[in-house]
Amino acid sequence: MSDDDWGSTSGGAPDSGRRSRKATRAADELANRLEVLDRVAALADGRIEATTAQRAASALEGARARLGHGSTHTVVALAGATGSGKSSLFNALLGDDLAPVGVRRPTTSHARAAVVGGGAESLLDWLEIPRRHHVEPTQTTDDAADLTGLVLVDLPDHDSTEAAHRAEVDRLVKVVDAFIWVVDPQKYADAALHEGYLRRFAGHSAVTLVVLNQVDLLAPADRSATQEHLGRLLGEDGLIGARVLALSARTGDGVAQLRQELAARVAERRALVARLSADLDWVANGLSIAVGDVVPDRVQGESAKRLADALARAAGVEAVADAVGAAHRRRSAQVAGWPPSRWVGRLRPDPLRRMGLDRGHRSDDPVGPSNDLDTVTVPRTSRAGPTAVADAGVDQALRALVDRTTDGLPELWRHRVSEVALQRRDELPDALDRAVGSTTMPTERPGWWSAASVAQWLFTAAMAVGVAWLALMGVVAWLGLPDLPAPSVGVMPWPTLLALGGAAAGLLLAAVVARLASVGGTRRAARARSSLVDATAVVAEQLVVRPVDAELEALAELGTLARQLAR
């Protein structure tokens, strides 16, 4: 038996300084654990089973309420079955006939309390015990046992046929500081006591004392065997090391020892801390089961990349990148292509304008990791929506991310992470559209286009002069007028040289421009693809990865707190 348990007075009590230091450490530890439990309660909603979360919240609320009434008084409950003699023991301990005593019928219908030394009114109000007695310390029959500060509560019979009596017992055993379970030789193994109460308070050995009353009815040879058997039953109930005392309230045999046990508890004022600490142990055990052993980790980079790739496909990144390349080639032909054929290109719409992605629709606040998608304002594009296959790919990537991230976690946590990952699923298409629409497309005009355009117009002008000259020469010849002068370069007349040379040079330059525009279009498509993939990755990061990471961090913190609470 440790010094923390009932019975610490036997075998020599530690000095008062040591007791004071231990009490201070225990109180500080309890305060720290309550802070941990407060954080657990804040994180518990939806992350642990409702009954476990409610148990934690109730323990926190009850502990704070009890501590709010101070530790000046120690509340000890006398509980027992009908005929166990607890009311007789109540009177014997206090040295006065405060509780009526019966033999066969229950006489305690409502809880009554006796306060040794007075006070404790607000505490008893909180306990909702209206039947109160004030007992002077001198009334107790053993001067060596100072019970000042004891609040002894005589509970109704736990096996009463009245449901209200059992409810009163159930209510008070949850809030008192310590228990004295009174049993008699005939009913000490009663299942109603062991299964209904003692097993519920497994782990509360430090604040539990079991009194085997009416031992005067047993033969001396049977007393120790009965007491030993009761101790084994308590061990099976989880009350390892619980103190068992044998006494007779009728004859007074052993009552003084019990009074001394109570006096030690009251003097140390640690029953309250021990009871609340045991309650937290109980809560911590449930939390440990709820959170498991696996520590949640952040979303892995590979999972985030797969999701970003799926979103890129859903956003039609390839189609937009192809449109950027096609728009570059088209605009190159419009600026530096052969002028006589430019009208043909105008018959086809500009690929970027058709998607609503031309420079005039570019956002001045592009999507990036540092800003919020919800704050980006950009007109809707005219792109086609995601295909059914691409949409299914997004769902598959989301499921894969959740499965990989939550592998080994409790089922409730897996469900929670899945909810968070899918929480903004319906917003993804619009967010992707804004991400694409806010991406700056590489549509700037190269400087050489202007030079090529000037050259094209010069070649076209030369061709036009040559054609006009030849036409004029034909009209003159048709009218029979004298031939116009036609200087030559070698054997080639200037009009013909200008017409054919201008056309050939223009067509050759247009072919060179088209080739360069094709290479430039491919490069710009690649740049656009990279920018668009980055933009869609930001969508994945902000709408899925960050919320999931935040949830995983909360779950990891909850697991850490559960382990801290478990001491």
Side-chain angles (χ1 to χ4, degrees):
M1 186 71 60
S2 70
D3 290 339
D4 293 336
D5 296 328
W6 289 95
S8 61
T9 57
S10 60
D15 61 84
S16 60
R18 180 166 174 262
R19 287 200 304 267
S20 177
R21 288 192 298 272
K22 290 181 67 175
T24 301
R25 286 197 302 269
D28 290 343
E29 182 182 1
L30 175 62
N32 292 334
R33 295 181 76 194
L34 287 176
E35 290 181 4
V36 171
L37 186 58
D38 184 39
R39 182 58 182 157
V40 168
L43 294 172
D45 187 25
R47 296 186 176 101
I48 58 178
E49 189 179 12
T51 54
T52 304
Q54 180 59 43
R55 187 182 304 154
S58 297
L60 178 65
E61 181 182 359
R64 286 178 170 171
R66 176 62 185 91
L67 289 171
H69 294 283
S71 59
T72 303
H73 293 86
T74 300
V75 183
V76 180
L78 274 175
T82 304
S84 62
K86 60 182 176 59
S87 294
S88 299
L89 184 58
F90 182 81
N91 293 334
L93 287 170
L94 298 171
D96 201 353
D97 292 334
L98 301 177
V101 178
V103 179
R104 299 183 180 180
R105 297 175 60 98
T107 57
T108 307
S109 57
H110 297 88
R112 70 178 70 244
V115 183
V116 180
E121 294 302 320
S122 65
L123 176 58
L124 290 173
D125 289 341
W126 176 68
L127 292 172
E128 299 180 15
I129 302 178
R131 304 172 69 185
R132 308 169 185 180
H133 305 280
H134 172 72
V135 178
E136 292 296 335
T138 55
Q139 284 183 247
T140 60
T141 58
D142 190 341
D143 294 335
D146 184 3
L147 299 180
T148 302
L150 172 66
V151 178
L152 190 62
V153 181
D154 186 15
L155 297 180
D157 301 327
H158 67 76
D159 61 348
S160 172
T161 57
E162 294 289 337
H165 296 179
R166 297 194 302 273
E168 181 78 344
V169 175
D170 291 342
R171 180 181 70 84
L172 286 171
V173 295
K174 294 177 182 177
V175 293
V176 297
D177 302 333
F179 312 94
I180 298 178
W181 297 96
V182 183
V183 298
D184 61 78
Q186 290 76 35
K187 298 172 65 176
Y188 72 87
D190 183 39
L193 172 64
H194 289 270
E195 296 177 7
Y197 291 95
L198 295 179
R199 291 180 186 174
R200 287 168 49 191
F201 294 99
H204 288 67
S205 300
V207 290
T208 300
L209 179 66
V210 180
V211 169
L212 179 61
N213 193 16
Q214 303 174 12
V215 293
D216 55 309
L217 301 180
L218 292 173
D222 295 333
R223 291 185 182 183
S224 59
T226 304
Q227 189 173 355
E228 182 182 349
H229 184 222
L230 176 56
R232 289 200 303 271
L233 292 177
L234 294 176
E236 294 173 1
D237 292 333
L239 292 168
I240 308 297
R243 181 86 163 152
V244 179
L245 288 181
L247 56 78
S248 172
R250 185 178 66 84
T251 65
D253 182 23
V255 174
Q257 184 183 0
L258 175 57
R259 190 180 292 111
Q260 289 176 356
E261 300 275 3
L262 285 173
R265 291 297 103 186
V266 172
E268 292 178 2
R269 296 182 180 177
R270 288 202 307 109
L272 167 60
V273 173
R275 164 62 199 268
L276 295 180
S277 296
D279 286 347
L280 295 190
D281 290 340
W282 182 51
V283 171
N285 183 60
L287 285 174
S288 297
I289 296 173
V291 302
D293 298 326
V294 180
V295 179
D297 198 2
R298 296 173 63 87
V299 175
Q300 296 182 5
E302 184 179 350
S303 298
K305 185 180 183 304
R306 288 180 179 177
L307 176 61
D309 291 342
L311 292 182
R313 288 190 290 272
V317 164
E318 287 300 325
V320 175
D322 290 344
V324 169
H328 181 76
R329 293 188 293 272
R330 179 184 182 279
R331 292 173 185 182
S332 172
Q334 291 297 306
V335 173
W338 195 45
S341 63
R342 290 181 187 178
W343 65 274
V344 177
R346 295 191 184 97
L347 297 177
R348 297 189 300 272
D350 186 284
L352 283 181
R353 288 198 178 92
R354 184 177 58 195
M355 291 184 173
L357 296 172
D358 60 301
R359 182 175 291 272
H361 287 80
R362 182 179 60 82
S363 171
D364 291 329
D365 186 18
V367 168
S370 61
N371 59 14
D372 193 332
L373 283 168
D374 296 330
T375 65
V376 176
T377 304
V378 63
R380 296 280 300 188
T381 69
S382 340
R383 301 175 306 107
T387 65
V389 173
D391 214 33
V394 172
D395 291 333
Q396 183 178 5
L398 286 170
R399 287 193 299 271
L401 182 146
V402 171
D403 290 342
R404 187 163 187 174
T405 303
T406 61
D407 185 32
L409 296 182
E411 185 61 31
L412 186 59
W413 283 12
R414 293 171 62 88
H415 180 68
R416 175 78 177 186
V417 172
S418 178
E419 282 185 341
V420 172
L422 299 175
Q423 190 172 19
R424 303 185 71 176
R425 173 64 178 89
D426 293 340
E427 300 177 34
L428 285 176
D430 185 64
L432 290 172
D433 191 71
R434 282 183 283 132
V436 171
S438 66
T439 300
T440 301
M441 301 298 172
T443 57
E444 65 278 3
R445 289 176 52 167
W448 64 267
W449 281 10
S450 297
S453 179
V454 171
Q456 283 287 24
W457 284 114
L458 291 176
F459 294 147
T460 301
M463 182 186 69
V465 169
V467 170
W469 196 343
L470 289 174
L472 181 60
M473 291 175 63
V475 170
V476 168
W478 181 72
L479 294 175
L481 298 175
D483 293 338
L484 293 176
S488 301
V489 177
V491 296
M492 183 72 69
W494 267 103
T496 304
L497 180 63
L498 289 173
L500 294 179
L507 289 172
L508 179 61
L509 180 58
V512 172
V513 167
R515 177 58 184 168
L516 293 176
S518 177
V519 174
T522 300
R523 291 177 178 174
R524 290 179 180 229
R527 286 168 53 194
R529 184 180 297 106
S530 177
S531 297
L532 290 167
V533 168
D534 289 344
T536 54
V538 171
V539 174
E541 176 73 18
Q542 294 192 8
L543 266 62
V544 179
V545 176
R546 283 187 191 174
V548 169
D549 275 343
E551 182 61 27
L552 291 170
E553 288 175 4
L555 295 174
E557 181 182 1
L558 187 57
T560 300
L561 292 171
R563 286 182 282 276
Q564 290 177 356
L565 192 65
R567 297 189 295 184

